[in-house]
Amino acid sequence: MTTYGFHASHEQVHPAELLTAVQLAEEAGFGAAMCSDHFAPWSERQGQSGFAWSWLGAALATTSLRFGVVNAPGQRYHPAIVAQAMATLGAMFPGRFWAALGSGENMNEHITGDPWPSKAVRDLRLEESVDVIRRLLAGEEVSHEGTVTVDQARLWTLPEAPPALLGPAVTVATARRVASWADGLITINQPLEVLREIVGAYREAGGRGPVALQVHLSWDPDPAVAERLAFDQWRTNLFPPPLCWDLESPEHFDLASAHVRPEDVHSGVVVSSSFGELVDRIGELASVGFDEVYLHHVGHEQRPFIGAFGEHVLPQLAAPAGTDDGRQAASVRGLR
């Protein structure tokens, strides 16, 4: 059965309020959680960017949920520091933490003053960083010379079992590449045929473990408000690679989104006021074969979304096909 989790967006919500949100999400019936890890938001309108690793300790300590984070080792983060952070959370909260390791975005990484490498170099740097992290989590002393440098690093506090390292992918090519090292795959909502290709490519390349999906959505009882919210908060997140990798600042993302229209946000955000439509659309995405689906309401205010989805959406998504609850999913469309 698919697990439905809550996505905590550090770019949009103050970390104290985000901590309360994940606590409420657990009470509402969300079965897991994940968070972003940014130095800057995607837009000045989003307006936040708390430090994920500080927040994760508090979130794990004050809920019983399993948590993941999307991280980019190699430039802003030295891979030995990522390994130490993962090991400590894994030791304190056994079996409840995972990390998805990607090649990063210039917006977050340029703060070091180092040049932003080509995608080929970033991919190589990611693979070297993954190897360093795995070896450190296995208790080895690691020295390495390459796109990253490590000198006689060793972790002195280790978890009983290393946290899973997932591979994030939004393209078929990346899904194939991460299959060589990942313990699982995570991607974002895209057209069904694209998602099937991504999951299929990962499995065909030997990819193991669970596959997870992050769904960006905007809900409000008023459909016009739901669309305005998605346009205000998420129109800077519609750009395909390489543009989304290479822009340098929130200001640049805002400038690049100047010609995005409100109706355009539907390509990247599930926008609806109907619980029944949301149940159907989220369920359709999950049917591609995802083990975990993380729901991200793209607004600043998370409490109304958590309460509404806990009451009207999660029970329908969790109901086995053919049960009374499952059949009710079709009739719930009139709810607001």
Side-chain angles (χ1 to χ4, degrees):
M1 183 177 291
T2 303
T3 296
Y4 291 92
F6 174 80
H7 174 72
S9 179
H10 283 290
E11 308 94 290
Q12 297 176 277
V13 185
H14 187 282
E17 177 59 27
L18 204 55
L19 182 61
T20 300
V22 294
Q23 294 164 354
L24 293 174
E26 181 177 30
E27 294 174 8
F30 286 86
M34 65 171 287
C35 75
S36 52
D37 180 3
H38 276 235
F39 197 82
W42 299 100
S43 164
E44 290 191 340
R45 291 179 306 279
Q46 292 179 353
Q48 298 286 339
S49 206
F51 186 55
W53 296 90
S54 301
W55 183 87
L56 279 163
L60 284 157
T62 58
T63 72
S64 61
L65 295 174
R66 185 168 51 85
F67 277 83
V69 65
V70 182
N71 173 266
Q75 186 162 331
R76 177 170 51 118
Y77 288 105
H78 191 281
I81 300 302
V82 175
Q84 186 182 30
M86 291 184 65
T88 297
L89 290 178
M92 293 178 69
F93 308 103
R96 291 179 53 206
F97 176 70
W98 54 266
L101 303 178
S103 57
E105 298 98 9
N106 190 27
M107 178 178 68
N108 296 309
E109 308 306 321
H110 76 86
I111 62 167
T112 64
D114 294 328
W116 180 234
S118 68
K119 184 64 167 67
V121 173
R122 298 199 308 272
D123 285 342
L124 178 60
R125 181 172 68 183
L126 171 61
E127 290 167 359
E128 290 183 15
S129 294
V130 168
D131 180 65
V132 167
I133 291 168
R134 282 207 185 279
R135 291 171 62 194
L136 287 168
L137 290 172
E140 296 182 30
E141 182 181 283
V142 177
S143 292
H144 177 83
E145 292 283 348
T147 60
V148 294
T149 300
V150 185
D151 180 44
Q152 295 180 306
R154 174 188 168 190
L155 297 180
W156 293 84
T157 298
L158 291 167
E160 291 185 8
L165 306 183
L166 273 62
V170 296
T171 67
V172 167
T174 300
R176 289 197 183 101
R177 182 156 187 157
V178 301
S180 66
W181 59 261
D183 298 318
L185 175 78
I186 187 165
T187 188
I188 59 173
N189 55 296
Q190 299 184 70
L192 282 174
E193 60 273 17
V194 176
L195 291 177
R196 291 191 183 102
E197 290 176 3
I198 287 173
V199 173
Y202 178 72
R203 294 301 190 199
E204 289 165 9
R208 61 188 186 275
V211 290
L213 175 70
Q214 182 189 72
V215 178
H216 304 299
L217 60 91
S218 181
W219 168 83
D220 189 272
D222 184 333
V225 172
E227 185 177 78
R228 284 200 300 270
L229 176 63
F231 179 68
D232 178 71
Q233 285 293 295
W234 216 247
R235 67 178 182 263
T236 51
N237 295 68
L238 304 179
F239 309 131
L243 186 62
C244 60
W245 296 331
D246 292 339
L247 291 176
E248 191 172 275
S249 70
E251 294 84 354
H252 290 172
F253 275 89
D254 282 329
L255 286 170
S257 70
H259 300 292
V260 176
R261 303 166 300 174
E263 57 267 31
D264 295 334
V265 298
H266 292 265
S267 66
V269 182
V270 177
V271 181
S272 182
S273 63
S274 166
F275 294 127
E277 181 183 13
L278 288 162
V279 167
D280 289 346
R281 293 186 67 183
I282 295 167
E284 185 179 43
L285 292 169
S287 72
V288 170
F290 291 103
D291 302 286
E292 301 172 2
V293 175
Y294 292 89
L295 304 180
H296 170 212
H297 175 57
V298 299
H300 284 124
E301 296 296 328
Q302 296 292 308
R303 295 186 189 212
F305 156 72
I306 291 167
F309 271 59
E311 182 177 358
H312 298 301
V313 175
L314 294 180
Q316 306 300 331
L317 291 171
T323 66
D324 288 342
D325 285 344
R327 286 189 289 270
Q328 288 170 3
S331 65
V332 77
R333 288 179 174 79
L335 292 173
R336 291 289 188 271

